[in-house]
Structures are given as C-alpha cells and as structure tokens.
C-alpha cells in the first residue's frame, strides 16, 4: 500500500534492514551524507539517496524535509517516481 508521508529520523549509522520501518526517512549526516527509506509504494525495497553535489539535495526547515530532484526508482520492479516535499510524498 502506498504511503503519503515520511518521518525524518536522524541517525549516526545506517539502520539494519530488518529494523527499518515503513514511513521512516533515515538521514545520515556523516562523512557520506545520504538518506535511506523503504520505497513508499509498499514493495519493501530500500531506496538510498546520496546527498552530494551530483546527487540529491536535502533541506530541513522546522523538521519538514524536502529532497530534490525527484526520486525515480526505475531500477526497481515497482518503477516508483515521486518527490519528497515537506515530509510528504508527491507521486508522479
């Protein structure tokens, strides 16, 4: 089942796969800044977004996270495509 919202969770280390919860957006602000979440379509696949000059940009304003550009999981069977804006999923 598709979800429409993600909850930012700041972590020092990547979460173990079996401890990841649906709707959690795990944000690593370490030497290799990135975010990890389960695909919001409900397929259970993991989506990893590197945050660097060639990757995705993360903005956190008062606990509301926006990530750009869009997330296209075209290498996954579900082919999900969406924006993350103010913790909300905007399906494309």
């Amino acid at each position: 089942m598709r979800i429409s919202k993600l909850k930012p969770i700041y972590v020092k280390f990547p979460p173990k796969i079996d401890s990841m919860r649906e709707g959690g957006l795990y944000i690593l602000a370490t030497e290799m800044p990135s975010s990890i979440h389960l695909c919001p379509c409900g397929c259970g696949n993991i989506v990893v977004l590197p945050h660097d000059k060639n990757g995705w940009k993360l903005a956190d304003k008062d606990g509301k996270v926006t990530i750009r550009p869009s997330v296209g999981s075209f290498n996954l069977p579900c082919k999900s495509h969406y924006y993350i804006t103010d913790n909300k999923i905007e399906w494309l």
Side-chain angles (χ1 to χ4, degrees), residues 2-6 40 87-91:
R2 282 184 171 188
I3 62 170
S4 59
K5 197 172 181 183
L6 294 172
N87 299 346
K88 296 177 187 161
I89 302 294
E90 298 177 81
W91 293 97

Side-chain angles (χ1 to χ4, degrees), residues 5-24:
K5 197 172 181 183
L6 294 172
K7 179 182 178 183
I9 303 166
Y10 286 87
V11 295
K12 290 185 180 182
F13 303 101
K16 293 181 181 179
I17 294 170
D18 60 351
S19 69
M20 291 180 68
R21 57 186 171 154
E22 190 173 290

Side-chain angles (χ1 to χ4, degrees), residues 19-37:
S19 69
M20 291 180 68
R21 57 186 171 154
E22 190 173 290
L25 177 64
Y26 300 89
I27 301 167
L28 291 106
T30 60
E31 294 173 10
M32 297 177 60
S34 57
S35 59
I36 304 167
H37 61 282

Side-chain angles (χ1 to χ4, degrees), residues 6-87:
L6 294 172
K7 179 182 178 183
I9 303 166
Y10 286 87
V11 295
K12 290 185 180 182
F13 303 101
K16 293 181 181 179
I17 294 170
D18 60 351
S19 69
M20 291 180 68
R21 57 186 171 154
E22 190 173 290
L25 177 64
Y26 300 89
I27 301 167
L28 291 106
T30 60
E31 294 173 10
M32 297 177 60
S34 57
S35 59
I36 304 167
H37 61 282
L38 295 175
C39 185
C41 82
C43 71
N45 284 299
I46 296 172
V47 178
V48 178
L49 305 174
H51 304 164
D52 59 28
K53 65 180 181 176
N54 297 317
W56 286 265
K57 309 291 183 248
L58 181 140
D60 183 337
K61 185 176 180 184
D62 300 324
K64 293 185 178 178
V65 171
T66 296
I67 296 178
R68 289 293 185 270
S70 65
V71 179
S73 301
F74 305 120
N75 59 335
L76 298 177
C78 64
K79 308 284 189 235
S80 290
H81 190 201
Y82 50 93
Y83 283 109
I84 299 172
T85 306
D86 292 337
N87 299 346

